[in-house]
Amino acid sequence: MPFNFDDLPSRRIQPFLNKWTAYPSDVLPMWVADMDFPVAPAIQQALHKHVDFGVLGYEIPEKRLYNIVAARMKKLYGWDVNPDHILYTVGVNNGYNIAARVLCNRQRGYFIQTPVYNEFWDAEKKTGARQKTARLEKNVEGGRIRYTVDFDAFERAAKGSAMFLLCNPHNPVGRVFSRAELKRMADICLEHDVTIVSDEIHSELLLDGAVFTPIAKLSREVEKRTITLISASKAYNVPGLACAFMIIPDDTLRAKFQTVLDGMSLEASIMGLTAAKVVYEGKADTWLGALLKYLKGNRDFLVNFVEDNLPGVRVTKPEATCLAWLDCSELDLKPSPYNFFLKNAKVALSAGAKFGRESEKFVRLNFGTSRKRLEDGLKRMQKALK
């Protein structure tokens, strides 16, 4: 079945604040990690069916849904997950903020690898958990940049920490960490009695056939010390449906999470559960396959355009996600690259400073849009730089 990712609906007519209404109408939004594509027909049909039924009462995730989620983990990664180890929550961000409250105390906080998703930074303010950082190592090859794990920095941050908040695939640098990298990170965490909380929300947005390994799958020992957070929201573009899952094999830890969840009175979204069931049953896999081919084309177009037409700008070649990380540190863009492109190109990107104090001269660009819009945004940036 063909899918047309070039034909996009306008979101400027929606009555709520969103990616397309947050800025004036002459600004092209390429910022938040929210793709412009309509969701898979299978998801739309399931949601329509539920609305047409007409009753939107309370819903509680049942064992059958957790069985479906566990089967998906087995199919994708060969990972045997016990359905009884899965808990529901309204979002991945919610999941690791709960984790910080459960795992951390005044003496032992959490650490992150920077640059990293801004909500990882905000967990310190939201939970009171003390934060440490382990900077990823930036490697430059011509007009491209690629990040690797600085294991010395990683081990320094692990000492005295209670929790490691892992982003894999990584936002914003687009890395899919190798099994060897994951194993070494896990070994360090085990050595220093650190629980791993792994945000794997982009794990199905893989480009170029990248191979993703859930860190919990490395061994039973690692699995017992890992909390895995997953959701259909990114790969299937349904973030507004507020539905995610936490895989927590350790019985004691899972019981603590359940106590916090009960205290927060989090109620399941009918539409979120409906979409999750469609996704984890594999009914939208054909759509996802077509999407990944389109995103790969967009990524390659973007990387080539930056290298050929934006002198002084370096770019990642993401292995996953729909997000590119642009290094403008060789240019003197005032007051920042984000503000420069917003004012002079009328393109709204994500400000690098949100991803780390060392990233003020970077911007993040979401290429989860039509090729025509992507080209428009890049040409606006080219013109502004000239």
Side-chain angles (χ1 to χ4, degrees):
M1 178 180 179
F3 304 100
N4 187 357
F5 296 105
D6 293 312
D7 185 15
L8 305 180
S10 172
R11 293 177 65 186
R12 293 198 191 276
I13 61 174
Q14 289 182 287
F16 308 112
L17 187 67
N18 62 52
K19 173 183 178 180
W20 280 82
T21 58
Y23 289 92
S25 60
D26 62 341
V27 172
L28 182 62
M30 308 185 83
W31 57 295
V32 66
D34 171 346
M35 294 186 288
D36 290 333
F37 311 117
V39 300
I43 296 175
Q44 292 189 50
Q45 290 162 12
L47 296 177
H48 278 298
K49 183 177 180 180
H50 209 122
V51 171
D52 291 342
F53 177 66
V55 179
L56 302 175
Y58 292 116
E59 297 281 354
I60 299 173
E62 57 180 352
K63 179 69 176 289
R64 186 162 61 97
L65 178 58
Y66 295 136
N67 288 338
I68 291 169
V69 173
R72 184 73 171 177
M73 297 300 100
K74 177 68 172 179
K75 176 183 177 181
L76 293 180
Y77 315 118
W79 180 21
D80 290 310
V81 172
N82 185 335
D84 293 335
H85 295 170
I86 304 174
L87 298 179
Y88 166 89
T89 187
V90 296
V92 165
N93 293 348
N94 174 267
Y96 55 70
N97 283 321
I98 293 174
R101 289 180 171 87
V102 170
L103 296 167
C104 301
N105 53 44
R106 291 183 178 179
Q107 289 73 40
R108 301 180 69 206
Y110 74 102
F111 73 99
I112 54 178
Q113 294 171 297
T114 62
V116 74
Y117 176 44
N118 56 287
E119 290 286 343
F120 279 30
W121 288 94
D122 293 345
E124 180 177 36
K125 177 177 62 179
K126 292 178 179 179
T127 68
R130 185 167 55 89
Q131 179 192 97
K132 291 193 287 186
T133 62
R135 288 180 61 174
L136 293 169
E137 183 175 348
K138 185 179 80 169
N139 303 280
V140 178
E141 297 179 6
R144 297 186 190 178
I145 51 175
R146 188 176 188 273
Y147 288 81
T148 54
V149 180
D150 182 335
F151 286 103
D152 291 333
F154 188 93
E155 183 150 22
R156 287 193 298 270
K159 292 178 181 178
S161 293
M163 177 177 107
F164 166 43
L165 185 47
L166 170 64
C167 189
N168 184 35
H170 194 282
N171 171 10
V173 308
R175 279 297 316 282
V176 178
F177 292 114
S178 69
R179 188 181 184 90
E181 288 173 309
L182 293 172
K183 184 178 185 307
R184 189 168 175 190
M185 287 190 280
D187 287 345
I188 292 171
C189 286
L190 291 175
E191 180 183 351
H192 295 284
D193 192 27
V194 177
T195 299
I196 302 165
V197 178
S198 186
D199 174 353
E200 301 181 359
I201 199 170
H202 287 100
S203 58
E204 292 198 52
L205 272 182
L206 303 175
L207 309 175
D208 277 341
V211 177
F212 174 81
T213 302
I215 193 168
K217 184 178 177 289
L218 292 177
S219 70
R220 288 299 180 187
E221 185 181 14
V222 174
E223 183 183 58
K224 188 174 177 62
R225 294 302 306 270
T226 300
I227 297 162
T228 303
L229 308 174
I230 60 172
S231 174
S233 63
K234 294 302 181 183
Y236 296 89
N237 206 33
V238 290
L241 296 185
C243 179
F245 300 95
M246 302 183 290
I247 303 172
I248 311 176
D250 183 77
D251 294 339
T252 302
L253 194 54
R254 191 170 62 258
K256 291 180 179 179
F257 265 75
Q258 188 65 66
T259 298
V260 175
L261 288 169
D262 291 343
M264 297 176 72
S265 299
L266 297 178
E267 295 175 354
S269 158
I270 299 172
M271 296 307 178
L273 295 175
T274 299
K277 183 174 181 292
V278 170
V279 166
Y280 292 120
E281 284 182 332
K283 294 179 179 178
D285 284 359
T286 302
W287 177 89
L288 179 63
L291 171 70
L292 294 178
K293 290 180 182 178
Y294 193 88
L295 287 178
K296 177 186 178 301
N298 272 4
R299 182 208 59 189
D300 293 344
F301 177 83
L302 180 150
V303 170
N304 291 333
F305 189 99
V306 171
E307 291 184 328
D308 294 341
N309 300 289
L310 303 185
V313 179
R314 294 191 176 102
V315 62
T316 54
K317 186 178 181 182
E319 300 160 359
T321 80
C322 59
L323 308 167
W325 187 234
L326 305 181
D327 179 2
C328 306
S329 56
E330 287 192 352
L331 304 175
D332 188 26
L333 303 182
K334 300 292 186 181
S336 70
Y338 162 77
N339 286 286
F340 174 85
F341 287 120
L342 181 61
K343 177 182 178 182
N344 298 286
K346 300 295 181 182
V347 175
L349 305 167
S350 293
K354 291 186 176 182
F355 301 88
R357 300 175 187 91
E358 73 278 8
S359 301
E360 292 181 354
K361 296 186 182 297
F362 288 72
V363 285
R364 190 190 71 178
L365 185 152
N366 180 355
F367 57 87
T369 189
S370 69
R371 187 73 48 78
K372 182 179 180 180
R373 283 182 183 169
L374 176 61
E375 184 175 6
D376 179 20
L378 291 170
K379 285 185 175 180
R380 291 185 188 198
M381 294 167 67
Q382 177 189 19
K383 184 177 180 181
L385 287 178
K386 284 185 177 179

